[in-house]
Amino acid sequence: MIPFVKAHACGNDFLIIEEHLAGRRHAELARKLCSRNTSVGADGIEFLERRPNGEFFLRLFNADGSEAELSGNGTRCVAAWLASSEGLDEVALGTHGGVRTCRVVEVADPLYLIESGMGVPRVMPRTIELPGVGNVVGAMVNVGNPHFVLFVNSEDFSAHGLRWQELGARISTSPLFPHGTNVEFVRVLSENEIAFRIYERGCGPTTSSGTGTCASSAAAMALRGVARELTANAEGGPQRTVWSSADVAMQLTGPAEIICRGEVAGL
């Protein structure tokens, strides 16, 4: 039996498992344990490594078994768990996308409001061509992991005659992105607010994404001239982004809630 913690950030849910329990079976465990019909269910697993020097490192595996650089929401869930279990109000978490420092702003256990330093976004306007769709104007955004952001006007976030879920799947798995990409569909609501939908690489449509929130915000700030402080609304709820200038790290503030602890049968 494998001990786990389950937490979510705006409905984007993760299992947290100690790294030494994985036994190099990370992908297999992710595929099995993230199944919503036959196991615990989650969008991914954060494997938490405690290094001899006291540092923490996270490996994120999506529900399909693929490994990703990092998850902003997943990192925040781990920070909430470490605050609950070990009293750490501020923690630096290493990831393959860089170190992310999380600070607890408010606590109403099991709910934590956490501010995370998310690194310096890189926004690169790009038009891609999809067979049967044509040219899709958007931007490649890197916030430690890859995103393709496109702006839409429709209230249902559809574009190019397709539902956002369908177009997101086609962009995410396009050969133009050999390692896949996350896809965000963004509506600018005002100078201070955006709404967006997320097609997450290795998972599909999700209610929220921390890095997706940052990518959507950065693209809107850089390419649509919105304010440098934004409320970004996903299906799972709002998060707050602050990016004071293009050469500093973006700050992301949002909730994380611990759902349960338990044990589950391994492989």
Side-chain angles (χ1 to χ4, degrees):
M1 302 296 289
I2 297 177
F4 71 90
V5 175
K6 183 170 182 178
H8 80 95
C10 299
N12 191 197
D13 56 344
F14 298 88
L15 305 181
I16 303 167
I17 294 176
E18 297 287 338
E19 166 68 24
H20 71 273
L21 298 175
R24 299 183 180 180
R25 301 170 298 167
H26 303 77
E28 293 85 352
L29 285 171
R31 285 191 290 268
K32 179 181 179 182
L33 302 187
C34 290
S35 172
R36 298 192 183 278
N37 297 107
T38 59
S39 191
V40 182
D43 289 327
I45 299 180
E46 293 280 7
F47 290 97
L48 172 61
E49 179 185 357
R50 301 166 185 267
R51 294 184 167 172
N53 62 1
E55 294 179 351
F56 298 101
F57 191 87
L58 300 178
R59 292 185 69 185
L60 168 64
F61 282 78
N62 295 314
D64 68 352
S66 61
E67 186 171 10
E69 296 85 354
L70 81 159
S71 164
N73 282 350
T75 300
R76 198 161 73 238
C77 286
V78 175
W81 169 239
L82 291 174
S84 174
S85 64
E86 300 175 35
L88 300 180
D89 292 334
E90 184 169 329
V91 62
L93 297 167
T95 75
H96 286 306
V99 176
R100 298 293 182 260
T101 298
C102 300
R103 180 176 65 88
V104 176
V105 178
E106 294 178 9
V107 180
D109 194 34
L111 184 64
Y112 292 76
L113 185 67
I114 295 175
E115 180 187 68
S116 304
M118 296 297 291
V120 180
R122 289 182 290 159
V123 181
M124 298 155 281
R126 182 172 175 185
T127 298
I128 62 174
E129 184 176 355
L130 288 179
V133 176
N135 289 336
V136 178
V137 178
M140 294 175 60
V141 184
N142 191 297
V143 287
N145 61 352
H147 295 259
F148 186 82
V149 177
L150 56 153
F151 294 94
V152 300
N153 297 315
S154 56
E155 291 188 3
D156 63 0
F157 296 89
S158 61
H160 298 274
L162 298 172
R163 296 187 311 121
W164 69 265
Q165 297 93 331
E166 183 180 353
L167 183 56
R170 294 180 67 170
I171 294 173
S172 180
T173 58
S174 167
L176 296 170
F177 304 101
H179 302 291
T181 187
N182 303 289
V183 187
E184 283 79 35
F185 298 79
V186 179
R187 292 176 57 215
V188 176
L189 303 181
S190 71
E191 182 184 1
N192 305 103
E193 189 173 12
I194 62 173
F196 66 105
R197 296 292 182 264
I198 311 124
Y199 190 95
E200 192 164 289
R201 175 184 60 170
C203 181
T206 59
T207 61
S208 182
S209 165
T211 59
T213 300
C214 292
S216 299
S217 297
M221 292 173 185
L223 303 177
R224 290 296 185 269
V226 300
R228 288 282 177 171
E229 296 187 18
L230 282 181
T231 298
N233 300 287
E235 289 179 289
Q239 298 189 53
R240 188 75 176 164
T241 53
V242 178
W243 192 26
S244 56
S245 64
D247 58 349
V248 302
M250 177 175 278
Q251 300 296 313
L252 172 69
T253 302
E257 183 174 13
I258 300 164
I259 300 170
C260 65
R261 299 174 63 185
E263 292 184 330
V264 62
L267 300 173

